[in-house]
Amino acid sequence: MKHQKILALWLLLFISLVAMAKKETATYVVSKVSGRVEMVTQKGKHQLEKGDVLTADAVLDVSFSGSLTLLAEDGDKQYVINAPGKAKLESFLADKRNTVLSMSKDYVKSVVAQLRRDKTVKAYKCSDPATVTRELLVKDSLVVAKADSTQCCH
């Protein structure tokens, strides 16, 4: 009986450590910033820009007119943070006032690669006036994501 309690305690401890490690490794790439959205560090405040990479423990200061759009780097979610306040990113992501959109992993991967200026992403190619095609090379295979657009690339 005593061994079962000890085993259960160790199992709970291990599961919580794995969950904490997974949460810390999640990264988010800024795809759009409107208004004043700053990251607070020990050195002061830094205005966020398109392409910046954040972790869940980053402290953000979002003004009333501010809005931030993030893509989960290894996921299929887009987060739109428009609730004002000063808190860790994980708190903003859990806030029900903000929007979470599901997207295809391939699409998110291609947009993140473009935001991070990855050299494996080719330039936009136009197949017809209403379609924009993004191409991403992934380990000797080609992933193509299509998105509707009213104008062709120039």
Side-chain angles (χ1 to χ4, degrees):
M1 183 78 152
K2 188 175 183 180
H3 295 290
Q4 290 175 343
K5 288 182 182 180
I6 292 173
L7 182 62
L9 181 63
W10 278 106
L11 184 61
L12 286 174
L13 180 63
F14 179 73
I15 289 172
S16 64
L17 287 174
V18 169
M20 286 178 19
K22 184 176 182 182
K23 187 183 288 187
E24 288 180 22
T25 60
T27 55
Y28 305 89
V29 179
V30 176
S31 64
K32 182 180 177 186
V33 180
S34 299
R36 187 179 59 83
V37 181
E38 299 173 323
M39 183 169 63
V40 181
T41 63
Q42 293 177 347
K43 296 179 182 178
K45 292 184 176 182
H46 163 262
Q47 176 69 29
L48 288 177
E49 297 176 0
K50 185 176 176 181
D52 286 346
V53 179
L54 304 173
T55 59
D57 61 344
V59 178
L60 302 180
D61 185 6
V62 180
S63 69
F64 282 103
S65 63
S67 175
L68 177 68
T69 304
L70 301 169
L71 293 169
E73 190 165 25
D74 293 327
D76 60 351
K77 302 277 190 240
Q78 178 183 28
Y79 302 91
V80 180
I81 298 172
N82 48 22
K86 182 177 177 181
K88 286 187 175 185
L89 177 58
E90 63 188 355
S91 298
F92 281 110
L93 297 178
D95 191 339
K96 299 294 183 195
R97 296 177 292 172
N98 297 314
T99 307
V100 180
L101 302 170
S102 292
M103 303 178 157
S104 75
K105 280 193 171 194
D106 290 336
Y107 178 75
V108 171
K109 188 181 285 188
S110 68
V111 174
V112 166
Q114 286 179 344
L115 290 169
R116 299 203 62 189
R117 293 173 181 84
D118 190 344
K119 300 297 183 194
T120 61
V121 177
K122 295 182 179 179
Y124 287 108
K125 291 185 175 180
C126 295
S127 54
D128 63 56
T131 304
V132 175
T133 304
R134 292 184 178 94
E135 295 183 20
L136 172 67
L137 296 173
V138 182
K139 294 184 181 177
D140 301 328
S141 66
L142 184 64
V143 177
V144 179
K146 292 186 178 181
D148 292 331
S149 175
T150 57
Q151 295 180 356
C152 190
C153 307
H154 298 287

